[in-house]
Amino acid sequence: MNSVSTQFATSRNLGIYENHQNSAWANSFKAETSQNTGASTIVEADAKLDNRLEDIPPDTLGASKSDDQDACKPEEKVLRRLAQNREAARKSRLRKKAYVQQLESSRVKLAQIEQELERSRHQGVYIAGQSGDSNIGLPGTVNSGVATFDMEYTHWIDEQNRQIGELRAALQAHVSDIELRMLVESGMGHYDDLFRIKAIAAKSDVFYLMSGMWKTAAERFFLWIGGFRPSELLKVLCPQLDPMTEQQLVAVYKLQQSSQQAEGALSEGMDLLQQTLAETLTADPLGTSGVANYMGQMANAMGKLEALVGFVHQADHLRQQTLQQMYKILTTRQAARGLLALGDYCQRLRALSSLWVARPRDAEPCNSLRTT
């Protein structure tokens, strides 16, 4: 009789727990599928779910204590499952809280960009052809695409500086791998945003993007098809990632070799494009009829220039893939140190550019350079 009553109590209490859990899941699902539900409501629903799990009396999760050891096993399984559910709910709340914060930050940035774009349209901040086009200074030549990219890139740098500070503080505080992984994934996503806004800017003015006028002078010194060379960047980052295992070193070496091969192919393609473009512009515009066809010649050249957008996209894709492959090779803490090193490197290039611009230019020549 004791065994039967114990099994009956266990089944009854398991039913109570399942009813509690199903009710919590149903309420949470309703909150997520509501038409007026926002990201903050999702977090609130998860919090309610966790609170309901915590409010379940421990006595309802298992049968009454008994000398029969077999009767205690269902109770242990239920308690273990409850603990797992609580931990999963806690992690879910952390992830969704970070997601809500990211959404709010993006909303604020978007509002700022819209305001600055509207202000630039009224004031004519950016004039197309600033780098030497013949229409410089003419009214109505505001390139809104380039102006938008300039503002978005400025905000991107500000956000990168903030993330660098967070990574440095997290590494110094020796936070858990879970927290550090969230910061690393946020940093990787930030670089994805850069490639996205560059793709839009390339369609608007590919020459502006490839000229590097949106970068500082020292950064332009290392410019390659609108950005950095992935293989050169690996040379800069690898010393900051020690110690690495032998398997990691082999993987990084292979990645560097494949990056160099892809860079070589893109560089050869650019050289070929320059050559064919020069041949098109220097060709005799006179046709078989002896009538000059300058418009046809220019149309042919314009068609060849459209290939530049494709080269920028391929170069950015190579950069993006290199970063993602490195993230897969490295551990979480190594990836965090790598992103920190990359951010510091870019900051120092910008600082070097500022020092170069502010250098004294009217100093006396060195004695060794004076002629007698």
Side-chain angles (χ1 to χ4, degrees):
M1 290 295 292
N2 290 336
S3 176
V4 173
S5 61
T6 301
Q7 293 179 359
F8 176 78
T10 301
S11 301
R12 178 177 61 83
N13 291 325
L14 283 174
I16 294 174
Y17 167 71
E18 291 177 353
N19 290 335
H20 277 283
Q21 191 177 34
N22 292 334
S23 176
W25 286 344
N27 292 335
S28 177
F29 179 76
K30 290 179 181 179
E32 291 179 352
T33 56
S34 175
Q35 295 180 352
N36 299 323
T37 299
S40 59
T41 310
I42 297 174
V43 177
E44 183 180 356
D46 282 341
K48 290 181 180 179
L49 172 60
D50 188 61
N51 291 335
R52 290 179 181 179
L53 289 174
E54 292 178 352
D55 291 340
I56 297 176
D59 295 339
T60 65
L61 299 177
S64 303
K65 292 184 177 180
S66 177
D67 294 336
D68 190 358
Q69 295 180 355
D70 294 335
C72 295
K73 292 182 179 179
E75 180 182 4
E76 293 177 357
K77 292 181 179 179
V78 170
L79 291 175
R80 185 164 55 252
R81 185 179 302 171
L82 177 59
Q84 293 174 351
N85 289 340
R86 285 178 175 172
E87 180 64 18
R90 185 186 69 83
K91 292 180 179 180
S92 178
R93 287 199 308 274
L94 288 176
R95 289 194 301 268
K96 291 178 180 178
K97 182 179 179 181
Y99 178 67
V100 169
Q101 292 176 349
Q102 184 178 3
L103 285 179
E104 181 64 21
S105 176
S106 299
R107 185 188 66 80
V108 173
K109 289 179 183 178
L110 180 59
Q112 293 175 348
I113 291 174
E114 290 176 348
Q115 292 175 359
E116 293 179 7
L117 179 58
E118 186 65 24
R119 190 182 305 116
S120 67
R121 286 174 178 171
H122 289 293
Q123 298 177 355
V125 173
Y126 175 79
I127 304 297
Q130 283 182 342
S131 59
D133 288 357
S134 60
N135 61 347
I136 183 169
L138 294 179
T141 58
V142 176
N143 191 327
S144 60
V146 173
T148 301
F149 172 74
D150 284 341
M151 288 182 291
E152 289 183 338
Y153 183 65
T154 300
H155 289 300
W156 187 90
I157 291 178
D158 294 337
E159 176 64 17
Q160 185 192 40
N161 293 335
R162 186 191 66 80
Q163 291 185 356
I164 290 173
E166 287 186 349
L167 273 175
R168 181 175 287 107
L171 287 171
Q172 292 175 351
H174 302 286
V175 299
S176 65
D177 286 346
I178 296 178
E179 295 176 283
L180 199 58
R181 186 180 298 110
M182 293 177 64
L183 293 176
V184 171
E185 291 178 352
S186 178
M188 294 293 294
H190 191 53
Y191 279 99
D192 291 339
D193 290 339
L194 175 61
F195 299 133
R196 176 184 57 80
I197 63 176
K198 285 180 64 180
I200 298 174
K203 296 179 180 179
S204 178
D205 191 344
V206 67
F207 283 110
Y208 177 78
L209 194 66
M210 292 188 63
S211 68
M213 296 304 296
W214 48 285
K215 285 182 170 290
T216 59
E219 290 176 298
R220 289 198 298 271
F221 181 69
F222 297 97
L223 195 68
W224 174 77
I225 315 183
F228 57 83
R229 283 182 177 270
S231 60
E232 293 298 325
L233 189 64
L234 291 177
K235 293 179 182 179
V236 173
L237 294 183
C238 285
Q240 310 298 325
L241 303 176
D242 290 334
M244 287 194 293
T245 64
E246 183 176 355
Q247 184 178 5
Q248 287 177 323
L249 290 172
V250 171
V252 171
Y253 175 77
K254 291 181 178 179
L255 179 61
Q256 188 172 4
Q257 293 296 315
S258 62
S259 297
Q260 288 177 340
Q261 293 175 0
E263 291 167 11
L266 285 175
S267 296
E268 290 178 2
M270 285 289 295
D271 293 340
L272 181 60
L273 177 61
Q274 290 178 347
Q275 180 181 351
T276 56
L277 181 61
E279 292 174 353
T280 300
L281 294 176
T282 57
D284 187 359
L286 295 178
T288 56
S289 61
V291 180
N293 186 17
Y294 290 103
M295 294 303 296
Q297 186 181 39
M298 291 299 104
N300 189 15
M302 287 288 291
K304 296 183 183 300
L305 283 179
E306 292 179 356
L308 285 176
V309 178
F311 278 105
V312 172
H313 289 171
Q314 292 180 54
D316 275 347
H317 181 70
L318 177 60
R319 287 183 270 264
Q320 186 178 29
Q321 289 296 314
T322 302
L323 288 174
Q324 291 176 354
Q325 289 298 322
M326 281 296 292
Y327 179 46
K328 294 179 180 179
I329 294 172
L330 303 176
T331 64
T332 299
R333 295 197 175 272
Q334 286 176 329
R337 296 208 314 268
L339 285 177
L340 180 59
L342 177 57
D344 286 341
Y345 177 67
C346 294
Q347 283 182 339
R348 289 166 187 171
L349 284 176
R350 290 191 284 266
L352 179 61
S353 298
S354 300
L355 292 174
W356 174 256
V357 172
R359 74 191 187 282
R361 305 183 184 183
D362 55 351
E364 289 292 332
C366 299
N367 292 333
S368 59
L369 297 180
R370 292 179 180 176
T371 58
T372 58

